[in-house]
Amino acid sequence: MGDSHTWTAAPAAAERARSVLAAAWSCAVTAEGGREEFVGAHGVADDGRVLLNVPEDSALLAAAICAPRGEPSAVLEFADVAPVPVRGRIRARLWLAGWFAPEDGHLAFRPTRVVLRQPSGAVIVDLDEFAAAAPDPLALAEARLLTHLADCHGDAVERLTRLVDADSLHGAVRVRPLAVDRHGLTLRIERVRAHGDVRLPFHRPADDIAQLTERMHVLLAQAGAASCPRTLQRQRADGDG
């Protein structure tokens, strides 16, 4: 794969958690009054506080008002769902434990514990790092970018598999773009009864769409200079890929 792919940088846990929080459209809230699902009802302050708009008759509002200030009064759960249809679409889950307080017509949630679970395992995110972190600059555009890549540039995705070790492609029946961030692109390799992920790091971080376009062109150029994996060659010959 060449020296340009020896860098395996990935978002830090705090940045990944803030990206999940920024891009999530819904959240589940478990509090003394039960569990409620909210869609399109939350925003995020710069310091990581979650600002939630709830109906006046919500049991959560009553629970938040009655809970002693500073004590954990709720757990918020956010799911990071892959925008491209793949097996196992939940890429990560984020849990925030903490307390609510009424503030300017909504509930402001201040986390006292942050847990990020990814396929590699769960990690407790440092609160100061979480508050100071910013979401990945591509987080809000990721769904559109990946959907466009999958729907309109399947040939480019196939070409990128030339940068993947042949062992990782053994038994592959489909390869789809799973995630993209400023540090790299992740491909989901699906087999008949299993799947795995391969990360293609960029040669330097991409802080906006223009830089991402350039990084993708570099990857495709490197893929164009690589040999086609025998596994995919055989699948195409057999009509399976």
Side-chain angles (χ1 to χ4, degrees), residues 156 159-163 217-228:
R159 197 183 319 156
L160 288 171
T161 62
R162 298 180 183 182
L163 299 175
H217 285 164
V218 170
L219 284 182
L220 288 168
Q222 292 170 343
S227 59
C228 187

Side-chain angles (χ1 to χ4, degrees), residues 200-234:
L200 302 179
F202 300 140
H203 63 282
R204 63 172 62 94
D207 293 327
D208 54 38
I209 302 299
Q211 291 183 5
L212 173 65
T213 300
E214 187 274 337
R215 307 302 187 261
M216 290 296 297
H217 285 164
V218 170
L219 284 182
L220 288 168
Q222 292 170 343
S227 59
C228 187
R230 294 179 180 177
T231 301
L232 291 190
Q233 284 181 326
R234 183 168 58 252

Side-chain angles (χ1 to χ4, degrees), residues 13-240:
E15 180 183 352
R16 184 75 180 91
R18 290 296 297 266
S19 297
V20 172
L21 189 58
W25 180 243
S26 64
C27 70
V29 181
T30 302
E32 184 179 350
R35 180 181 174 92
E36 295 185 67
E37 301 277 346
F38 296 93
V39 177
H42 76 276
V44 186
D46 289 342
D47 62 358
R49 286 177 301 125
V50 179
L51 309 177
L52 189 65
N53 294 310
V54 299
E56 292 185 359
D57 60 352
S58 170
L60 176 61
L61 181 60
I65 293 174
C66 296
R69 185 176 178 86
E71 293 187 5
S73 60
V75 175
L76 276 59
E77 179 181 348
F78 300 86
D80 176 32
V81 183
V84 174
V86 293
R87 292 182 190 153
R89 291 185 72 172
I90 303 298
R91 303 181 299 187
R93 291 188 184 276
L94 177 67
W95 288 276
L96 307 179
W99 49 271
F100 277 111
E103 180 182 298
D104 298 331
H106 53 248
L107 290 178
F109 181 84
R110 185 175 298 277
T112 57
R113 184 179 176 88
V114 178
V115 179
L116 176 69
R117 178 178 290 277
Q118 301 182 98
S120 58
V123 60
I124 298 175
V125 181
D126 180 85
L127 291 176
D128 291 336
E129 293 179 2
F130 177 78
D136 185 272
L138 303 176
L140 297 182
E142 185 196 24
R144 173 173 55 85
L145 293 169
L146 288 181
T147 300
H148 179 75
L149 179 61
D151 292 347
C152 303
H153 299 286
D155 57 333
V157 175
E158 180 177 338
R159 197 183 319 156
L160 288 171
T161 62
R162 298 180 183 182
L163 299 175
V164 178
D165 185 88
D167 290 341
S168 297
L169 291 171
H170 181 70
V173 296
R174 188 172 72 159
V175 179
R176 303 278 275 172
L178 177 70
V180 68
D181 54 62
R182 66 192 299 261
H183 299 289
L185 173 72
T186 301
L187 300 178
R188 167 63 53 84
I189 300 174
E190 296 184 348
R191 304 175 182 86
V192 175
R193 295 183 178 85
H195 61 264
D197 301 333
V198 172
R199 187 168 177 82
L200 302 179
F202 300 140
H203 63 282
R204 63 172 62 94
D207 293 327
D208 54 38
I209 302 299
Q211 291 183 5
L212 173 65
T213 300
E214 187 274 337
R215 307 302 187 261
M216 290 296 297
H217 285 164
V218 170
L219 284 182
L220 288 168
Q222 292 170 343
S227 59
C228 187
R230 294 179 180 177
T231 301
L232 291 190
Q233 284 181 326
R234 183 168 58 252
Q235 287 172 353
R236 287 196 295 271
D238 294 341
D240 295 332

